[in-house]
Amino acid sequence: MRNQTKHFINGEWTDSTGSETIDVINPATEEVMGTISSGTEEDLDKAVKAARAAFPSFSRSTKEERIQWLKNIAEGYEARKDELIEVMTDELGSPLSVSEEVHFAAGLGHFRQAAECLEDFSFTEDRDGHTLMKESIGVSGLITPWNFPTNQTSTKIASAIAAGSPVVLKPASKTPFAAMILAEIIDEAGVPKGAFNLVNGTGSVIGNGISSHPGIDFVSFTGSGAVGEKIMQNAAETIKKVALELGGKSPLIVLDDADVKEAAKTALSSIMTNTGQVCSAGTRVFIPQSMKEDFEKTIVEMLEEFPVGDPRKEGVATGPLVSEDQWETVQSYIEKGEKEATVLAGGTGKPEGLETGYFARPTIFTDVSHDAVIAQEEIFGPVTTLFTYEDVDQAIEMANDTIYGLAGYIVGNDPETIRHVASNIRAGRIKINNAKTDFNGPFGGYKQSGIGREWGDFGIEEYLEIKSVHGLPSS
Ligand code: NAP
Ligand code: MG
């Protein structure tokens, strides 16, 4: 049991001013794995004050100091690798291999990338007629979801440190422990006190408090569209800048010259990795009409390569959903899908032998009409939808027929067709043939998938203000 009821404020682990706590449930066992504080507005206020007090010197720290802090954090993060992997497996339910190869790797990637970006980053620039100065935006409030406990926290924290912007982080209350380990790592890395603060609690108290606090200058949020909308409304009252990384319903376009196995595997890993709880998952798969039969047969056969089960067991590819709520939501979408489309595999209920834990059956729908609920709403579970197309422009049109625009995937070979599809999908990140992820590649959404970009140099820019100075005497 992890009983970690303190917040990290002004460089100290600090008791909450309230007495309420939140139990954290292990989704594979349904047992309580630990307890955190449900922070109060007073706790948040203390953290904001600490961040404001840190601002004058932190925002003036040198590039070299920031690079050193980021490198120290990366080193400390690596040193706690095993613990981070285990904690994420227990709080999120991701298989140990996924906790290592996806979650752990992403956090490390962001800290290293931010240090690397800083090496070549110019905070001042002489342009014809004026000088540009890029300065810290001020105190930044970070609100993160549960689906990537180290990825989303780390990209925000790394960018903020690189920019010299002090932060107050509220991690998701379903997965707070990896973030608390991060706080310990940051503390040991020599980051000045007050520059990093963590307050645990609910979205309705601490999250809502961050978006409306007059002492916070910028809010970076990752999560659902409904909460993103509330954050924008609250932020409007004090004209705060907001960056939002919201949901998606991303297309995966299989070209007619694609290898069917490769295509089916890409489609399945999209919904099986992290149990489909991925904002950028390719959950609408567009297949050439001529490939339909072959693709359907292949994807169903391939399901056995992604065994669902106990995330601590070797060889398991897919764990449970994060919570009972999430399980119920996914079930209700599968129920809708059973009325709207043909079930190719899966369905409602739990997989055989997995009665305890929030396990869902991987479900594949075909013959889906593109205006069906399951074709338009983000399900956030191991569920995918298949569509057929006659020519590639019809696929592009359907791919863009959504309120979202976070990502897009292409599997195929003809370079010209690939370029045509990549440049016509309205989304912030396109992946071709499972290309390797570059941590310097900006991440963020078109349309209702969000505002702003994270990762790498574009991520750092979010935490900076721009000043143009005219007539600056040369030194
Ligand atoms: P959520 O409600 O948007 O939660 C994300 C974060 O925002 C959590 O830290 C949450 O706190 C906090 N929050 C909740 N209400 C808030 C408010 N009024 N003001 C400020 N912050 C608030 O997401 P969820 O409930 O975990 O998941 C619901 C759906 O959102 C999912 O099914 C999925 O479709 C989508 N989602 C998308 C992403 C993504 O990466 N884009 C990530 C997660 C979820 P607490 O949860 O601790 O109370
Ligand atoms: Mg919620």
Side-chain angles (χ1 to χ4, degrees):
M1 276 283 281
R2 288 178 170 261
N3 285 310
Q4 293 181 257
T5 52
K6 291 181 194 260
H7 308 296
F8 189 73
I9 299 174
N10 206 25
E12 306 282 341
W13 286 99
T14 309
D15 283 322
S16 180
T17 58
S19 56
E20 280 184 39
T21 56
I22 299 171
D23 285 341
V24 179
I25 312 288
N26 176 328
T29 62
E30 302 184 27
E31 282 165 10
V32 176
M33 65 165 284
T35 306
I36 54 167
S37 267
S38 182
T40 64
E41 282 178 21
E42 213 180 321
D43 296 328
L44 174 63
D45 201 51
K46 277 200 216 168
V48 174
K49 284 205 174 89
R52 293 202 79 78
F55 175 77
S57 80
F58 191 58
S59 62
R60 303 243 160 256
S61 55
T62 64
K63 206 161 100 161
E64 290 65 35
E65 287 174 304
R66 295 176 197 173
I67 290 172
Q68 196 55 55
W69 292 324
L70 289 164
K71 285 186 172 167
N72 293 350
I73 294 171
E75 213 171 282
Y77 184 92
E78 275 194 291
R80 296 186 71 176
K81 180 173 179 177
D82 293 343
E83 197 186 343
L84 280 164
I85 290 170
E86 294 216 357
V87 157
M88 287 191 274
T89 289
D90 290 347
E91 65 184 8
L92 172 63
S94 50
L96 289 168
S97 59
V98 175
S99 297
E100 176 174 358
E101 290 154 26
V102 179
H103 296 291
F104 175 81
L108 185 61
H110 291 307
F111 288 114
R112 285 189 176 154
Q113 184 64 51
E116 198 183 314
C117 283
L118 270 189
E119 302 276 357
D120 312 315
F121 201 91
S122 286
F123 287 90
T124 60
E125 214 182 294
D126 275 324
R127 309 192 334 156
D128 262 352
H130 71 279
T131 304
L132 207 63
M133 293 184 181
K134 295 182 178 180
E135 301 178 333
S136 162
I137 196 166
V139 173
S140 303
L142 317 179
I143 306 171
T144 53
W146 43 262
N147 61 332
F148 281 87
T150 49
N151 171 56
Q152 284 135 344
T153 45
S154 299
T155 185
K156 293 181 199 310
I157 295 165
S159 298
I161 291 176
S165 297
V167 305
V168 178
L169 166 70
K170 187 211 97 66
S173 51
K174 291 187 180 87
T175 58
F177 295 122
M180 293 177 87
I181 295 175
L182 265 184
E184 290 170 3
I185 294 166
I186 293 166
D187 184 24
E188 283 160 16
V191 174
K193 72 176 180 131
F196 174 85
N197 304 276
L198 180 154
V199 180
N200 273 319
T202 62
S204 52
V205 177
I206 306 302
N208 193 60
I210 285 177
S211 60
S212 34
H213 201 295
I216 289 182
D217 304 286
F218 167 52
V219 180
S220 176
F221 168 78
T222 302
S224 63
V227 172
E229 193 181 318
K230 270 192 211 153
I231 287 174
M232 271 186 100
Q233 278 165 1
N234 281 347
E237 283 173 30
T238 46
I239 319 291
K240 277 187 209 5
K241 177 179 150 182
V242 294
L244 305 174
E245 202 272 275
L246 309 174
K249 191 78 184 176
S250 296
L252 188 175
I253 300 186
V254 179
L255 303 183
D256 59 8
D257 60 1
D259 178 73
V260 176
K261 278 201 176 127
E262 210 41 51
K265 193 168 184 180
T266 308
L268 273 186
S269 29
S270 228
I271 57 156
M272 300 303 275
T273 306
N274 224 34
T275 324
Q277 302 166 122
V278 180
C279 48
S280 56
T283 51
R284 291 181 299 139
V285 184
F286 298 94
I287 313 146
Q289 179 64 41
S290 58
M291 202 188 278
K292 184 175 195 269
E293 218 175 300
D294 199 7
F295 186 91
E296 289 183 352
K297 190 169 155 271
T298 310
I299 196 169
V300 172
E301 280 170 6
M302 213 173 248
L303 257 177
E304 64 185 39
E305 289 177 26
F306 295 85
V308 180
D310 178 357
R312 279 190 167 266
K313 218 168 103 186
E314 182 110 10
V316 163
T318 304
L321 291 159
V322 72
S323 64
E324 193 171 5
D325 282 359
Q326 195 63 26
W327 190 86
E328 295 287 353
T329 305
V330 170
Q331 294 303 308
S332 75
Y333 277 114
I334 296 176
E335 262 167 46
K336 274 194 194 95
E338 286 173 339
K339 292 188 193 110
E340 289 179 319
T342 307
V343 182
L344 201 59
T348 51
K350 292 189 175 180
E352 223 180 278
L354 293 169
E355 282 72 29
T356 304
Y358 310 121
F359 294 94
R361 295 171 70 198
T363 301
I364 304 168
F365 289 110
T366 190
D367 305 321
V368 190
S369 135
H370 205 251
D371 54 9
V373 173
I374 55 162
Q376 292 292 331
E377 294 185 13
E378 183 177 49
I379 299 174
F380 235 57
V383 182
T384 196
T385 49
L386 311 185
F387 308 85
T388 54
Y389 70 86
E390 293 289 348
D391 72 88
V392 85
D393 286 317
Q394 189 196 357
I396 293 169
E397 200 183 314
M398 280 194 284
N400 288 331
D401 175 25
T402 164
I403 57 167
Y404 296 114
L406 192 54
Y409 301 82
I410 304 166
V411 182
N413 289 299
D414 179 55
E416 216 163 289
T417 315
I418 291 174
R419 280 179 189 282
H420 176 69
V421 175
S423 59
N424 280 287
I425 296 177
R426 305 259 311 144
R429 169 171 288 188
I430 308 292
K431 268 205 176 195
I432 298 152
N433 294 328
N434 287 309
K436 192 170 168 279
T437 298
D438 175 6
F439 284 105
N440 200 33
F443 187 88
Y446 283 30
K447 302 193 271 179
Q448 293 189 31
S449 286
I451 300 175
R453 292 294 180 270
E454 302 198 280
W455 299 35
D457 51 354
F458 277 90
I460 298 171
E461 299 276 357
E462 290 282 9
Y463 294 80
L464 294 168
E465 280 285 17
I466 302 286
K467 182 186 275 176
S468 73
V469 184
H470 302 249
L472 188 71
S474 49
S475 53

